[in-house]
Amino acid sequence: MRNIIQILVVLALLTSCKKQNQEYAPVKTNQPVTHHVKVKEVKQTGDYTYLQVEEGNRNYWMAINSTDLKPGDDFSYSNAVLMTNFESKDLNRVFDEIYFADTGAQQDQSSNSETKKSRLSKEEQENISVEKAKGGITIAELYENKENYKGKTVLVKGKIVKINDQIMDKNWVHLKDGTSFDGKSDLTFTTQESLTVGDVVTMTGKVTLDKDFGAGYIYPLIVEEASSVKE
């Protein structure tokens, strides 16, 4: 378990911008008690999901690997590292305190979420390698040059690693192609199409930055009104 916590700390540091002379202090390295929290706000940042949660009379921020949780959901976790003065490059925000939780966080059975959770396993995702579509771009190229693609239509080929059906009348499709930039390798599309996890597809849609869907759904980068195309 100690190794898991150490890995979480390293990942957190690698995916964020460190200020000069700033130290990130892991105040707590283990929380043996299971914590039951309610999600108040969600901010998606590629491979990670930032959550503002409520536990009893306390509200605080935490981060876990990309998840389907939404405001109003309940979930539990047992292991987390508390980071102080943590700067998220993706969110352009410094958190006075934020917990990085073990990826074993599980949604409670009592949750009011009806979201279907269908995804590839972590091992399957690690072995993804998809050739770039003709005339298209890779996921890494999009993240690296996101300002250049803002408002433009892009063509991206990848494997579907996760689908969240019918949230706010949209299907939310997550693609990976084996490339990454600054720790971001998961690209989210919204579409009306019914697709299947594990399929390799070529998707086209419009790039939107800093999209706030309301109800706590905020995406620094997302591809909207997408559809699949045949090469």
Side-chain angles (χ1 to χ4, degrees), residues 58-75:
R58 182 185 174 211
N59 289 288
Y60 57 92
W61 282 94
M62 62 186 303
I64 58 179
N65 280 355
S66 182
T67 177
D68 305 330
L69 291 169
K70 62 186 181 67
D73 283 349
D74 299 305
F75 78 99

Side-chain angles (χ1 to χ4, degrees), residues 73-220:
D73 283 349
D74 299 305
F75 78 99
S76 303
Y77 71 95
S78 298
N79 302 289
V81 173
L82 173 60
M83 309 297 290
T84 60
N85 297 320
F86 181 84
E87 182 175 2
S88 168
K89 182 178 179 181
D90 290 327
L91 298 179
N92 190 28
R93 173 175 177 174
V94 176
F95 293 90
D96 293 335
E97 292 186 349
I98 185 169
Y99 288 89
F100 281 83
D102 190 348
T103 54
Q106 296 293 325
Q107 189 170 353
D108 288 347
Q109 294 298 319
S110 60
S111 171
N112 60 8
S113 173
E114 296 181 355
T115 302
K116 292 190 300 182
K117 298 191 176 187
S118 182
R119 70 179 71 194
L120 295 183
S121 68
K122 181 179 179 181
E123 291 73 21
E124 289 173 318
Q125 293 188 37
E126 289 175 347
N127 294 321
I128 291 175
S129 179
V130 178
E131 184 178 355
K132 180 167 64 173
K134 183 177 180 180
I137 59 174
T138 66
I139 290 174
E141 289 171 337
L142 177 54
Y143 276 118
E144 184 175 7
N145 304 285
K146 61 181 182 180
E147 292 294 340
N148 295 335
Y149 290 108
K150 180 179 179 180
K152 296 181 179 179
T153 299
V154 295
L155 187 70
V156 180
K157 184 177 181 179
K159 177 173 284 191
I160 300 175
V161 298
K162 181 172 62 174
I163 297 177
N164 305 327
D165 286 324
Q166 291 305 300
I167 298 178
M168 294 185 287
D169 298 321
K170 307 173 190 290
N171 295 330
W172 304 65
V173 179
H174 296 250
L175 289 189
K176 288 191 175 186
D177 62 5
T179 68
S180 66
F181 173 75
D182 199 21
K184 294 179 284 293
S185 61
D186 184 305
L187 182 61
T188 304
F189 293 77
T190 59
T191 181
Q192 295 299 319
E193 293 187 20
S194 294
L195 301 170
T196 303
V197 168
D199 284 355
V200 174
V201 296
T202 301
M203 302 289 292
T204 183
K206 184 176 69 174
V207 176
T208 303
L209 303 184
D210 301 318
K211 178 71 174 186
D212 187 347
F213 289 94
Y217 282 93
I218 302 173
Y219 283 77

